[in-house]
Amino acid sequence: MNTSGIFTNISRITNIHDHGRVVDSKKGRFQCNYCDKEVSGITRLKCHLGGVGPEVKPCLEVPVEVKELWRNKLLESRGKKVNHSSSSNGVKRKRRETSQTSSYQDGSEEDSDSMSEENATDHVSSPNGNIGLQRGESNDMRNVSISMNPQRCIGRFFYETGLEFIAANSPSFKRMINSVAGPGVNYKIPSCEELKGCIFQDEVKEMQEYVRKIKESWATTGCSILLDSWIDEKGRNLVNFLVNCPQGPVYLCTHDVSSSIGNVDAIRALLEGIIKDVGADNVVQIVADSTTGWVGALGKEFSKRKGVFWAVSGSHCIELMLEKIGMSTSTKGILDKAKTITKFIHGHEEVLKILKKHTCGCDLIKPSKIRGAMPFMTLDSIVYEKQELKDMFASSEWNMSIWGSRVESKMVADIVEDQSFWTRAEMVSKATMPLVRAIELIFEADKPLVGHIYETMDQVKERIKKELINKKSQYMPFWEVIDDIWDNILHIPLHGAGYYLNPSLKYSSDFYCDDEVYLGLMCCIAQMVRDPSIQDVIHNQLKEYIRAEGNFKEGSSSGRRITPPAMWWSSYGKQCPELQRFAIRVLSQNCDGASRYGLKRTLAEKLVTNGRNPIEQQRLSDLTFLHYNLQLQKFCSGVKSGIDAEDIHPMDDWIIDEAPDIVSQNGDVKVEPTNGATSEGCSRFQLKTESI
C-alpha cells in the first residue's frame, strides 16, 4: 500500500523520496531524480539537492524551491542561520548511515529521515478556522525573551537539567561562565535564593502560559494521556501522567500508587480523576507503558470502559515481538554465539585493537535505548562486519599474536568460520531489522501515528517475507509472533479507523478495507461520538468521503494527499463538519508512550517523598512541573537521536558473563564505565587489561 507523504507538512517539509530513488538498498545508494547522480545515503542526497557541503557535488538541475528547502533544513539542523553560505561546513561522512539489512527503503516505503524532521508539527485548523498552536513557536519566543538576560539563561540551565541550585556557588561554575563571556566581562551569577525566587517565578509563569495554550487545542484535536510508571530504589510504585497532542506533550503530575497495588478500583479512580482534569470530552485514549503489574491489571479493567480507548505503547509492543523472537530456540542459539564473539573481542583490549584496524574503528556492539532491540542491532552489526571478522582471524597479525593459539580464541574463530552460523544469523537479521526499523520510526516521529501504524505493521511483515525470499517456512514463524502481539496487545479500533480516514491510504489504488478496519471505524464512531443523531450524520457523510465528492475530490489527487492527514481534513472536510471533527480527533493521536521522552525520575521521586513544609513542597511541585515541561519542550524542538544509545552498561551480558569484582586477586583492572571515547583501540566501555 502507498504511504508516501507520511507526516509531511507541505509548508515546511517534503519527502526526500520524491527527489531520489533507491538504486542499491544493500549499500544504501540513491539516485537524484533531476540529474541522475548517485550518492551514498539519505543525508548526502539532501546535501546534493541543497548544495550544502564540499563533499557532495551540488545538483544543477534541481528546482530553486526544492534546493532552498533542503538547504534551509540542513543548515537549521546544524544550528546555523539559513542565510549562511552553503559552503561553510561539510557533512561529516559516516562509515555507514544504516545497516544494509536494516534498510527497507524501496519506492513504497518511508525513511525515518523524512519522518522525523526537526522543529516541525502538524498544526490543525479547527472547523471554524482557528489554527492550533504550532510546536516550537512558543519555544522560540521564550528563547528570544531571555536571550538578553544572562541570569535567566543560567536559571533555565538549572531548571532544565535538574541540577542542585547550590552548584551556582561553585567557583568552577563562576569561572566557566566568565570564561565563556570573555575577558573584561564579569557576569553576576544568580544566588541560590534568586534561583528559587524571582527568576524561578518568571520561568514558571512562562511555562504555565505555554501549557495553557497547548491545553486550548485539546478540544479540537483531542489528546492522549500517557502513563510513565516505574519502581524506585525504595520499592515505591510511581507514575508520571503526561498528555500528548499534535501541539506537543505536557507533564501533568506524579503519583505514588504503592498503597493501591492490588486495588484496581482505587487506581482506576485515580485515572478517572486525571481524565476529569484533562476533560473527559478531550481524552481519546490512554497509552500505557507496560502490560504487566498494576498497569496491566488496570488495562484489563479499563478496557471495558466506553468513551476512551486503552492502548499500549507501540514501541513497547514491537519490543515484545523482538523479545519473543529472541526466546525461540534457534534464534537464541544464534544470539548466544554472537554474544560469544562480542564478549571475547570487547573483553580484551588487544583483540579489540586488532578488530578496529579492520572495521575502521567501529564497535560490534550497538547500544540502544530500546533494550529488546539491542541484541538484533548488534547481530546485524556482526553480519555487516562478517568479512572484516574473517579477515581479522586470518590475518598475519592475529596468527603472530598470543591470541592465535589460545583455546578461547580458537572457539570464537570457529564460529566466525562456520557458514551455518552466518546463514542463520543473516536470516534472523533480515527478519528482525524491519521490526527495529519500525521502532525507530515510531520513536523518532513527532507526528501523529495512528493513521499509519496499521499500514506500517503490514509493511514490516511484507518486508520480512521479501527478505526471506517468500519462503513460507522461514517467514511464517516471525509472522506468527507479530500477529500474536498485534492481535492481543497492540491493535485497538483506533488504528483501523486511522487507516480508513487517512486520505493518502484511502485514495491509493491498493487500499483494502477488511473486517478489522471496518469494525474499527464503526467502533470509534460509537465510542467517540455519544449523540446517536450525530453518529447517523457521520455515517451519511462517510459516503461523500468514500466517493470523493465535493471538496474530497480536490483533496483526493495524489499531490494533495501528501498533506498530513489531520491537516488534510482541516482543509478538505469542511463540507462534512461532523465527520471532519471526528476524523481530526482520530488522526491527531500518537501510538507511542512516554518512554520516548526519556524523562529522568529524580525530581518526581523527591516530590512524592513526605517531610517538607507546605511552602517547600509547593516550590518543589513547581520546579518538577517546570523541569519536565522544559524537557518535553526540548525534545519536541530538538533533533531526534533515534533509538541508538551513547554507551552500554558495563555489566551488560554482551560484554561479560557476570559482574566481576572491582579489583581481582591478581590486580587486573576490571570493567569500569568510561567517558565514551571511541578512538582506535578504545570502546564505549572499559576493557579488561591483559598481560602480554
Side-chain angles (χ1 to χ4, degrees), residues 178-463:
N178 289 322
S179 67
V180 172
V185 179
N186 189 21
Y187 277 131
K188 180 182 180 297
I189 308 298
S191 66
C192 288
E193 290 305 313
E194 289 173 320
L195 289 172
K196 293 179 181 178
C198 57
I199 298 174
F200 177 60
Q201 293 304 322
D202 288 344
E203 286 293 307
V204 170
K205 286 178 182 178
E206 281 202 19
M207 182 55 71
Q208 288 172 339
E209 179 64 15
Y210 170 79
V211 171
R212 184 190 66 78
K213 289 181 179 180
I214 290 180
K215 288 182 176 180
E216 288 178 351
S217 72
W218 293 349
T220 298
T221 64
C223 60
S224 301
I225 294 176
L226 314 183
L227 307 185
D228 180 21
S229 64
W230 75 100
I231 300 176
D232 71 356
E233 293 181 354
K234 297 179 180 179
R236 298 179 297 180
N237 285 270
L238 309 179
V239 57
N240 286 332
F241 289 97
L242 282 62
V243 179
N244 186 55
C245 70
Q247 286 65 52
V250 296
Y251 163 83
L252 284 186
C253 56
T254 301
H255 282 273
D256 182 352
V257 297
S258 303
S259 61
S260 300
I261 299 300
N263 186 349
V264 178
D265 291 337
I267 298 179
R268 177 168 177 173
L270 170 64
L271 182 56
E272 292 290 355
I274 299 294
I275 293 174
K276 183 178 179 181
D277 291 342
V278 174
D281 292 336
N282 298 331
V283 181
V284 176
Q285 63 174 346
I286 310 294
V287 183
D289 60 346
S290 175
T291 58
T292 60
W294 69 265
V295 178
L298 177 62
K300 291 177 182 178
E301 179 68 22
F302 196 87
S303 59
K304 304 171 187 176
R305 186 191 192 279
K306 293 185 177 181
V308 178
F309 294 103
W310 181 272
V312 180
S313 167
S315 60
H316 178 68
C317 289
I318 299 177
E319 185 179 14
L320 292 177
M321 296 174 189
L322 290 170
E323 289 176 353
K324 191 170 183 179
I325 289 171
M327 289 189 294
S328 68
T329 304
S330 56
T331 302
K332 186 176 183 302
I334 293 299
L335 293 177
D336 286 343
K337 288 183 178 180
K339 281 183 184 179
T340 300
I341 296 173
T342 60
K343 288 174 185 176
F344 173 70
I345 293 176
H346 286 267
H348 302 93
E349 188 174 9
E350 292 302 318
V351 177
L352 184 60
K353 283 182 179 179
I354 297 174
L355 174 73
K356 288 197 170 187
K357 291 179 181 179
H358 292 270
T359 63
C360 299
C362 291
D363 281 324
L364 292 180
I365 297 177
K366 298 300 174 187
S368 174
K369 299 170 187 173
I370 305 294
R371 177 60 188 158
M374 180 190 146
F376 300 100
M377 293 169 65
T378 299
L379 181 66
D380 183 63
S381 172
I382 291 172
V383 170
Y384 183 85
E385 305 289 1
K386 171 183 175 180
Q387 191 57 52
E388 284 74 13
L389 283 165
K390 287 188 172 184
D391 290 345
M392 184 191 83
F393 284 105
S395 67
S396 57
E397 182 179 8
W398 175 261
N399 291 324
M400 293 174 63
S401 71
I402 63 169
W403 300 103
S405 58
R406 289 197 177 183
V407 175
E408 58 178 321
S409 61
K410 287 184 176 181
M411 180 177 67
V412 176
D414 288 343
I415 294 175
V416 172
E417 293 301 322
D418 183 4
Q419 185 55 42
S420 64
F421 164 74
W422 292 113
T423 300
R424 182 64 187 173
E426 288 170 4
M427 187 184 83
V428 172
S429 180
K430 288 177 179 179
T432 55
M433 287 310 292
L435 287 167
V436 172
R437 181 69 168 156
I439 292 181
E440 190 167 42
L441 294 179
I442 293 172
F443 213 76
E444 288 187 337
D446 56 1
K447 300 295 180 185
L449 278 166
V450 160
H452 304 283
I453 186 64
Y454 195 94
E455 173 72 359
T456 296
M457 294 311 299
D458 272 353
Q459 285 186 353
V460 167
K461 291 176 64 178
E462 289 304 314
R463 170 52 56 177

Side-chain angles (χ1 to χ4, degrees), residues 341-594:
I341 296 173
T342 60
K343 288 174 185 176
F344 173 70
I345 293 176
H346 286 267
H348 302 93
E349 188 174 9
E350 292 302 318
V351 177
L352 184 60
K353 283 182 179 179
I354 297 174
L355 174 73
K356 288 197 170 187
K357 291 179 181 179
H358 292 270
T359 63
C360 299
C362 291
D363 281 324
L364 292 180
I365 297 177
K366 298 300 174 187
S368 174
K369 299 170 187 173
I370 305 294
R371 177 60 188 158
M374 180 190 146
F376 300 100
M377 293 169 65
T378 299
L379 181 66
D380 183 63
S381 172
I382 291 172
V383 170
Y384 183 85
E385 305 289 1
K386 171 183 175 180
Q387 191 57 52
E388 284 74 13
L389 283 165
K390 287 188 172 184
D391 290 345
M392 184 191 83
F393 284 105
S395 67
S396 57
E397 182 179 8
W398 175 261
N399 291 324
M400 293 174 63
S401 71
I402 63 169
W403 300 103
S405 58
R406 289 197 177 183
V407 175
E408 58 178 321
S409 61
K410 287 184 176 181
M411 180 177 67
V412 176
D414 288 343
I415 294 175
V416 172
E417 293 301 322
D418 183 4
Q419 185 55 42
S420 64
F421 164 74
W422 292 113
T423 300
R424 182 64 187 173
E426 288 170 4
M427 187 184 83
V428 172
S429 180
K430 288 177 179 179
T432 55
M433 287 310 292
L435 287 167
V436 172
R437 181 69 168 156
I439 292 181
E440 190 167 42
L441 294 179
I442 293 172
F443 213 76
E444 288 187 337
D446 56 1
K447 300 295 180 185
L449 278 166
V450 160
H452 304 283
I453 186 64
Y454 195 94
E455 173 72 359
T456 296
M457 294 311 299
D458 272 353
Q459 285 186 353
V460 167
K461 291 176 64 178
E462 289 304 314
R463 170 52 56 177
I464 292 172
K465 180 180 178 181
K466 182 178 179 180
E467 289 285 354
L468 299 181
I469 323 176
N470 298 323
K471 291 184 178 180
K472 192 171 183 178
S473 61
Q474 291 187 6
Y475 70 76
M476 276 307 296
F478 299 101
W479 274 28
E480 289 170 358
V481 171
I482 294 171
D483 289 341
D484 179 50
I485 303 295
W486 170 264
D487 293 338
N488 297 306
I489 302 176
L490 175 55
H491 177 64
I492 60 172
L494 207 59
H495 300 155
Y499 172 75
Y500 194 96
L501 295 170
N502 185 341
S504 67
L505 303 176
K506 180 67 178 70
Y507 294 130
S508 64
S509 59
D510 55 356
F511 174 80
Y512 178 69
C513 178
D514 58 15
D515 289 343
E516 189 176 55
V517 171
Y518 181 76
L519 291 174
L521 177 64
M522 295 300 105
C523 179
C524 285
I525 294 174
Q527 291 264 34
M528 296 173 62
V529 182
R530 298 180 182 179
D531 189 333
S533 62
I534 297 180
Q535 292 180 14
D536 293 338
V537 171
I538 290 175
H539 283 294
N540 288 328
Q541 292 174 347
L542 274 171
K543 298 174 184 177
E544 296 182 48
Y545 171 63
I546 294 169
R547 294 193 291 259
E549 296 175 348
N551 290 337
F552 293 135
K553 182 177 181 179
E554 179 185 357
S556 66
S557 64
S558 58
R560 305 298 176 96
R561 296 201 309 263
I562 65 173
T563 307
M567 187 178 177
W568 184 94
W569 276 95
S570 181
S571 300
Y572 301 106
K574 294 176 182 178
Q575 71 194 48
C576 302
E578 292 81 8
L579 175 59
Q580 180 192 49
R581 182 177 187 275
F582 168 71
I584 287 174
R585 286 168 61 81
V586 169
L587 294 166
S588 294
Q589 308 314 309
N590 215 320
C591 63
D592 204 24

Side-chain angles (χ1 to χ4, degrees), residues 584-682:
I584 287 174
R585 286 168 61 81
V586 169
L587 294 166
S588 294
Q589 308 314 309
N590 215 320
C591 63
D592 204 24
S595 62
R596 68 198 298 256
Y597 303 119
L599 298 181
K600 296 179 180 178
R601 277 78 179 259
T602 306
L603 276 179
E605 292 173 359
K606 288 182 180 179
L607 183 64
V608 294
T609 301
N610 298 324
R612 297 177 191 86
N613 64 50
I615 295 176
E616 288 299 321
Q617 184 66 20
Q618 183 59 50
R619 182 183 288 118
L620 181 57
S621 178
D622 290 343
L623 178 59
T624 304
F625 167 83
L626 178 59
H627 169 72
Y628 285 133
N629 281 306
L630 282 172
Q631 289 288 312
L632 293 170
Q633 193 179 64
K634 182 180 72 172
F635 177 90
C636 294
S637 63
V639 178
K640 305 300 182 295
S641 58
I643 64 173
D644 293 336
E646 290 297 322
D647 51 29
I648 187 174
H649 194 283
M651 300 303 181
D652 194 277
D653 62 356
W654 281 81
I655 304 176
I656 56 173
D657 289 310
E658 57 183 311
D661 296 328
I662 296 177
V663 179
S664 66
Q665 295 295 324
N666 62 10
D668 284 346
V669 178
K670 297 295 184 179
V671 181
E672 292 291 343
T674 69
N675 61 1
T678 55
S679 58
E680 183 182 14
C682 297

